[in-house]
Amino acid sequence: MTTGGVTAGTVLWEPPADVRDTSRIGRFLTWLESERGLSFAGYADLWEWSVTDLTGFWGAIWDYFEVVAHEPATAVLSGTTMPGARWFPGATLNYAENVLRMPGLADDEPVVLAYSQTREPVTLTAGELRAEVRRVRAGLKARGVGKGDRVAAYAPNIPETYVLMLATASLGAIFSSCAPEFGTRSVIDRWSQIEPKVLVATDGYRYGDKDIDRTGEIAAIRAAIPSIEHVITIGYLRGGGDWDSLTGDELEPLEFEAVPFDHPLYVLYSSGTTGLPKPIVHGHGGILLEHLKILALHHDLGPGDRFFWFTTTGWMMWNYLASGPAVGSAIVLFDGNPGWPSLNTLWELAGTAGITYFGTSAPFLLACRKAGITPRVSLKGLGSTGAPLPAEGWGWVYDAVSPDVQLLSLSGGTDVCTGFVGGVPLLPIRAGVITCRSLGARVEAYGPEGKPVLGELGELVITAPMPSMPVGFWNDHDGSRYREAYFDVFPGVWRHGDWITIDDAGGCVITGRSDATLNRGGVRLGTAEFYSVVEGLPEIVDSLVVHLDKPDDPNGELLLFVVLTEGLQLDDALRARIARELRGSLSPRHVPDAAHQVRALPRTLSGKKLEVPVKRILTGTPVEAAAAEGALANPGSLTAFADLYAERVRPTSA
């Protein structure tokens, strides 16, 4: 299929001949041969070993990266049954200790470079970062924080939040963050479940040229969560605050509580669109091992790199970015509006900050393509996640950014705090195709019979345990909510909820959420390719498609909703052009039965569009039951769909 001048599957980048000598994964292969007597012809063989000999592979990761542990493990893996597999039983360690080791970085070298639309840039050297973590650790300890206590941050992607997370982890306490753009309902829904002892919050922030005060929200959060004993304010917007006084014994050394491998490190949350957000607990050891593996071996990060990903503290990519120093990479933080004053803002930051690895979302790359910008930035790597990147997005990167960059399209989730499919320096990069399944992640596509299929659409499943699978859900004492979330469809197999096609070369194409499938006459259609075509039209800013069953029609009804460029109206000519593009690029089955213009589409707080609540509203579910208001960035967007439902069921006059 050709989209936007780029044919899906076209090779856009090939690894250099000396890739095994110049990449970190190449050096890992050399180590495996010399230390383990294992040699692999290529990535496919290495991946196969990594998902069949779980003990051998993850034991090698532990040894190769010289994980700092206080007590050794009695085994690598105790049983492979999911859920319930136990990794590195008996081992004690601390995530923060391993991150703050910062291999290859001298004390006077920059490790955190922070840029903001609220204040001037801030840089911390490796020595300064350790000193700040020591100070804040002592301050938390002086306020009674210890192993197992929860510390919450209502703060943006700034050094203070990063320091707080590491200081919390060093004590064996448990961290949780919400971005300050989250409203009070969203925050209370999350933190009332985990009952934090300490809240650290910013007084406000600047988004582009708008000042946003958060003092009222802080007061409301504190009033609603009685477990909060201490509130520390960062004077980020207006100065002041008491962050600098978060101190304790000045002679208190920087020490690290030795905790079991699966001791809780932080709590992340599902979007919570249909109920309270699920509090997903991640452990010290699982996150450490997974991030060492993927950042070094897949992203090829190490000393000399400056790793950036545009994210807020309410998205798992912040936690992903936070592990950069564990592999010796400096990290670049940005807080603000990426589109202000223009879409060039982040690309200009790449030059200013000396970024070598630039991470962002697929919608951002597609917006840049649509705006016609040509950043021309020299980068080693570029990461894309948050949604499938269509072939034209890949083509734009190689045309407009750099022909030499390694583009890695990453897909995974908050549930595992990583990408289980992505890229690797050893393999060619093809337009519209996720390059490979990640090492240690036995990702397969299951057909309707619950068996693996190749070359055809199937349910994305993981059929062997991974260390970064959740320790569990908070307060889910019998594990029932955890089992229901991932293991209720295929017993003993993790079902992720995406449609995936895996080809003979191991490449992957993800075509949307399986719960948002378009089923036309028994043919399953993914939403991602649909959006790629529709949003390629210059008039269309955003789109959403749902399929409704009809008892008298096996094809059901396909409804399209579009947001148009300001000032435009959806007329018959544009409807016809949409139908023509979908028929020509995809198939006649993709042509909607009706298209409607709306002012906005529902999105989660992390920016993902939501088909399921729309489908529920259009089948009669009241708005308040279809989606939790606090989980949406724009809950008012649902009203238009309720109005349409009312119109559709209203009796017509004779």
Side-chain angles (χ1 to χ4, degrees):
M1 185 176 75
T2 301
T3 50
V6 182
T7 303
T10 299
V11 175
L12 300 171
W13 180 90
E14 299 227 39
D18 63 351
V19 65
R20 287 207 179 199
D21 300 321
T22 57
S23 64
R24 293 202 70 173
I25 193 168
R27 292 191 284 278
F28 178 60
L29 285 166
T30 301
W31 181 89
L32 285 173
E33 189 160 7
S34 65
E35 299 296 321
R36 296 289 199 267
L38 297 169
S39 59
F40 300 96
Y43 183 77
D45 292 339
L46 177 63
W47 178 82
E48 187 66 33
W49 169 70
S50 78
V51 297
T52 51
D53 184 0
L54 298 176
T55 294
F57 173 69
W58 290 105
I61 293 294
W62 179 288
D63 292 343
Y64 181 71
F65 289 103
E66 299 178 340
V67 169
V68 176
H70 294 251
E71 294 292 336
T74 56
V76 170
L77 179 59
S78 172
T80 58
T81 302
M82 293 191 292
R86 277 198 69 211
W87 292 95
F88 295 89
T92 60
L93 76 173
N94 191 285
Y95 168 84
E97 183 173 16
N98 282 273
V99 171
L100 289 170
R101 186 172 46 157
M102 297 179 274
L105 285 170
D107 264 11
D108 61 352
E109 288 187 81
V111 67
V112 178
L113 300 97
Y115 296 82
S116 162
Q117 291 170 346
T118 305
R119 66 180 179 198
E120 292 302 306
V122 175
T123 298
L124 294 178
T125 64
E128 288 167 340
L129 176 61
R130 288 190 190 99
E132 272 293 276
V133 172
R134 187 215 65 77
R135 174 183 72 83
V136 173
R137 177 186 186 277
L140 292 173
K141 189 175 178 181
R143 285 158 181 79
V145 174
K147 185 177 177 181
D149 289 327
R150 278 76 67 202
V151 174
Y154 188 50
N157 183 16
I158 57 176
E160 290 91 334
T161 317
Y162 186 53
V163 166
L164 181 68
M165 186 271 285
L166 293 172
T168 301
S170 75
L171 289 164
I174 303 163
F175 179 80
S176 184
S177 59
C178 284
E181 61 265 28
F182 283 24
T184 52
R185 182 76 261 158
S186 300
V187 177
I188 293 164
D189 281 351
R190 285 159 171 77
W191 289 344
S192 59
Q193 298 184 70
I194 65 166
E195 300 177 300
K197 177 180 279 191
V198 173
L199 168 63
V200 176
T202 49
D203 59 343
Y205 59 96
R206 184 170 295 121
Y207 192 74
D209 57 353
K210 297 183 178 70
D211 285 0
I212 298 168
D213 182 88
R214 275 301 186 238
T215 52
E217 283 76 6
I218 296 169
I221 292 163
R222 181 173 196 174
I225 304 177
S227 64
I228 297 172
E229 297 175 12
H230 304 279
V231 176
I232 310 296
T233 306
I234 303 167
Y236 182 54
L237 179 63
R238 297 197 168 86
D242 47 10
W243 169 258
D244 290 340
S245 64
L246 182 54
T247 57
D249 183 350
E250 291 188 6
L251 299 177
E252 177 86 26
L254 177 55
E255 294 178 336
F256 301 93
E257 180 77 20
V259 297
F261 188 89
D262 58 0
H263 181 75
L265 168 63
Y266 40 60
V267 180
L268 306 183
Y269 298 88
S270 67
S271 58
T273 50
T274 55
L276 279 180
K278 292 191 290 286
I280 301 166
V281 182
H282 285 292
H284 277 246
I287 289 297
L288 175 65
L289 278 197
E290 173 59 35
H291 288 180
L292 288 171
K293 176 212 73 179
I294 199 159
L295 295 180
L297 305 185
H298 288 271
H299 293 287
D300 200 35
L301 290 166
D305 281 311
R306 291 189 175 180
F307 177 38
F308 166 77
W309 212 292
F310 176 73
T311 181
T312 73
T313 55
W315 189 24
M316 60 141 281
M317 294 311 297
W318 183 82
N319 305 78
Y320 195 78
L321 174 67
S323 292
V327 297
S329 173
I331 56 173
V332 177
L333 315 180
F334 174 82
D335 175 48
N337 180 350
W340 185 86
S342 76
L343 284 169
N344 283 305
T345 294
L346 295 184
W347 301 111
E348 290 166 358
L349 176 67
T352 303
I355 291 166
T356 61
Y357 200 104
F358 182 100
T360 184
S361 66
F364 176 78
L365 295 175
L366 294 172
C368 290
R369 173 182 178 268
K370 202 161 192 173
I373 69 172
T374 51
R376 302 272 182 254
V377 181
S378 177
L379 298 165
K380 176 170 85 174
L382 192 153
S384 169
T385 194
L389 184 66
E392 63 268 25
W394 297 70
W396 178 82
V397 168
Y398 282 91
D399 288 342
V401 180
S402 168
D404 304 315
V405 70
Q406 292 178 47
L407 173 54
L408 187 152
S409 180
L410 187 74
S411 187
T414 303
D415 326 77
V416 287
C417 200
T418 190
F420 38 64
V421 295
V424 70
L426 300 175
L427 293 176
I429 292 170
R430 296 178 286 156
V433 181
I434 296 172
T435 306
C436 64
R437 292 171 281 184
S438 301
L439 294 174
R442 192 151 79 194
V443 172
E444 298 185 87
Y446 265 17
E449 291 79 33
K451 301 294 181 189
V453 294
L454 269 183
E456 60 184 84
L457 195 66
E459 282 267 11
L460 192 162
V461 297
I462 306 174
T463 57
M466 294 172 63
S468 70
M469 285 176 173
V471 173
F473 292 166
W474 192 264
N475 274 340
D476 180 26
H477 301 297
D478 63 358
S480 57
R481 292 180 68 203
Y482 180 51
R483 285 192 299 275
E484 183 186 334
Y486 308 112
F487 300 101
D488 64 337
V489 175
F490 306 112
V493 171
W494 175 292
R495 172 185 173 268
H496 197 66
D498 285 334
W499 289 122
I500 188 171
T501 304
I502 303 170
D503 64 27
D504 291 340
C508 305
V509 175
I510 291 178
T511 46
R513 297 290 297 170
S514 54
D515 58 8
T517 303
L518 315 173
N519 192 327
R520 297 282 267 174
V523 177
R524 293 176 304 195
L525 311 174
T527 54
E529 55 190 0
F530 196 103
Y531 297 143
S532 170
V533 172
V534 173
E535 291 166 28
L537 296 171
E539 299 91 340
I540 296 177
V541 175
D542 204 0
S543 66
L544 185 142
V545 64
V546 296
H547 178 265
L548 305 180
D549 292 324
K550 292 180 74 175
D552 56 344
D553 185 350
N555 285 323
E557 188 178 19
L558 198 62
L559 301 180
L560 171 66
F561 301 92
V562 293
V563 178
L564 301 184
T565 303
E566 198 158 343
L568 295 184
Q569 292 295 317
L570 180 60
D571 56 19
D572 289 343
L574 183 53
R575 283 188 175 92
R577 195 144 61 86
I578 291 169
R580 197 161 55 244
E581 289 291 330
L582 287 167
R583 183 179 289 107
S585 296
L586 300 177
S587 79
R589 289 182 184 272
H590 287 78
V591 176
D593 296 295
H596 301 273
Q597 183 176 356
V598 292
R599 293 182 63 184
L601 296 172
R603 289 187 176 271
T604 66
L605 293 166
S606 59
K608 295 186 178 182
K609 68 176 81 179
L610 290 166
E611 295 99 345
V612 174
V614 170
K615 186 171 180 173
R616 296 181 76 195
I617 290 168
L618 292 173
T619 51
T621 303
V623 168
E624 60 274 14
E629 181 177 326
L632 271 63
N634 51 353
S637 62
L638 297 177
T639 306
F641 302 101
D643 292 344
L644 177 61
Y645 171 73
E647 185 181 312
R648 282 161 58 92
V649 298
R650 189 179 300 129
T652 54
S653 55

